[in-house]
Amino acid sequence: MAGAGISTPSGIPDFRSPGSGLYDNLQQYDLPYAEAIFEIDYFHHNPRPFFALAKELYPGNYQPNLTHYFVRLLQDKGQLLRMYTQNIDGLERLAGIPPERLVEAHGTFATATCTVCRRTYEGQDLRLDVMNGTVPKCPTCKGVVKPDIVFFGEELPHNFFKYIRDFPLADLLIIMGTSLEVEPFASLAGAVRSSVPRLLINRDSVGPFTWGTLRPTDVTQLGDVVSGVGALAQEIGWTQELEALMAQVNRRQKNKNNSSAS
Ligand code: OAD
């Protein structure tokens, strides 16, 4: 299970860290309150603040970091049952975690839907408008086209409910970079069998790790997530493979950038 804290090392602010988190830095959008930027009723009233933010977060501006590649390595080694992420930055996909192993519980910028006629679009179709600061409109009905991000007041994607089968099967749950403040995602932490170790790698203790509901098999690694995941990789002897994987993907990315520049 992951949240915005795994992407802060890539340069993307999280939501709730005091001072640096997004909810403390939305003054310029003149919102009635910070969370309104992700509320569906507010979006229908005024989509501009969300699209201003979307311009910042749109996939392509940021690169995955060691935490994303660690999950990719789990997958390469046949150890990943599923990654449940709340993040909408697309860095899991960029790190090569296959879409079928991913549950993007709060949606994705990869696809979009017209809020009026429900016509569907690829995220790429909106890119130009979003980058130009224009609210994307449906050519068919002129409705606002909204990236398939889950707003407060909207249902989670269908594949979120895979958790019903996945969590009882897990033999280890790693939770990284999330405040576990948003439901129903947060409750997934309680959905593994009671004997299953839960490892929290986060700057601060959160959710069931603080409420006095700790299980005897729970483990907390507090501090920076890259250091915590790096220490885990070291402990299990994966450091070299992890570095090689990152170098390989970076090389590919550079070649791709060079060939699209020429
Ligand atoms: P939050 O901002 O609520 O929590 C991020 C957590 O990561 C906090 O506990 C931070 O201390 C921790 N953190 C940040 N950077 C870190 C680092 N470098 N190393 C270790 N820990 C770090 O983000 P989420 O839990 O993802 O919803 O927020 C959940 C949802 O709330 C989001 O998906 C979003 C928001 O409203 C939607 O977009 C619908």
Side-chain angles (χ1 to χ4, degrees):
M1 294 172 63
I6 70 164
S7 293
T8 58
S10 295
I12 305 173
D14 67 6
F15 294 92
R16 296 182 179 78
S17 283
S20 63
L22 193 66
Y23 290 153
D24 271 357
N25 289 284
L26 294 173
Q27 297 83 357
Q28 75 265 38
Y29 300 125
D30 210 14
L31 294 158
Y33 46 90
E35 287 85 352
I37 200 159
F38 287 120
E39 276 184 7
I40 195 65
D41 289 343
Y42 187 81
F43 179 84
H44 290 314
H45 160 74
N46 179 13
R48 292 192 174 279
F50 168 75
F51 280 109
L53 180 66
K55 184 177 174 182
E56 281 296 308
L57 293 183
Y58 225 66
N61 293 341
Y62 300 95
Q63 293 305 316
N65 62 63
L66 183 130
T67 59
H68 303 93
Y69 288 112
F70 178 77
V71 182
R72 157 79 191 271
L73 195 54
L74 281 172
Q75 155 66 18
D76 290 356
K77 288 173 173 287
Q79 305 271 330
L80 180 68
L81 177 57
R82 204 87 61 196
M83 179 180 196
Y84 284 74
T85 182
Q86 298 165 96
N87 295 347
I88 53 176
D89 51 39
L91 296 188
E92 298 88 358
R93 290 181 190 222
L94 262 189
I97 300 164
E100 65 275 13
R101 289 281 164 198
L102 261 182
V103 170
E104 292 164 316
H106 292 167
T108 170
F109 280 108
T111 52
T113 307
C114 171
T115 51
V116 177
C117 72
R118 310 307 296 168
R119 185 174 158 189
T120 55
Y121 293 87
E122 289 301 313
Q124 277 305 325
D125 301 339
L126 276 60
R127 189 178 185 88
L128 205 60
D129 275 342
V130 173
M131 290 307 156
N132 287 337
T134 311
V135 172
K137 296 277 171 64
C138 174
T140 313
C141 77
K142 308 288 176 242
V144 173
V145 180
K146 175 182 152 298
D148 291 337
I149 304 301
V150 179
F151 278 38
F152 294 115
E154 289 192 304
E155 279 181 23
L156 268 59
H158 280 128
N159 71 351
F160 175 74
F161 297 94
K162 278 185 179 161
Y163 85 85
I164 296 169
R165 264 195 291 162
D166 283 348
F167 275 65
L169 291 176
D171 52 22
L172 170 65
L173 174 63
I174 305 178
I175 304 171
M176 308 189 285
T178 174
S179 61
L180 289 182
E181 289 225 358
V182 173
E183 294 290 358
F185 190 91
S187 287
L188 293 183
V192 285
R193 285 169 292 132
S194 57
S195 57
V196 167
R198 301 183 298 185
L199 167 60
L200 174 72
I201 307 178
N202 206 45
R203 194 168 281 150
D204 31 46
S205 192
V206 293
F209 294 81
T210 44
W211 300 328
T213 44
L214 265 184
R215 298 173 178 178
T217 44
D218 285 343
V219 178
T220 307
Q221 169 83 31
L222 294 186
D224 178 63
V225 71
V226 167
S227 316
V229 171
L232 175 60
Q234 177 92 40
E235 202 61 42
I236 56 181
W238 288 12
T239 304
Q240 275 186 349
E241 274 171 288
L242 191 54
E243 281 169 2
L245 175 64
M246 290 176 69
Q248 180 200 352
V249 180
N250 284 341
R251 254 196 321 274
R252 264 200 215 134
Q253 192 68 38
K254 258 191 207 138
N255 290 345
K256 204 168 136 196
N257 292 347
N258 287 345
S259 59
S260 47
S262 57

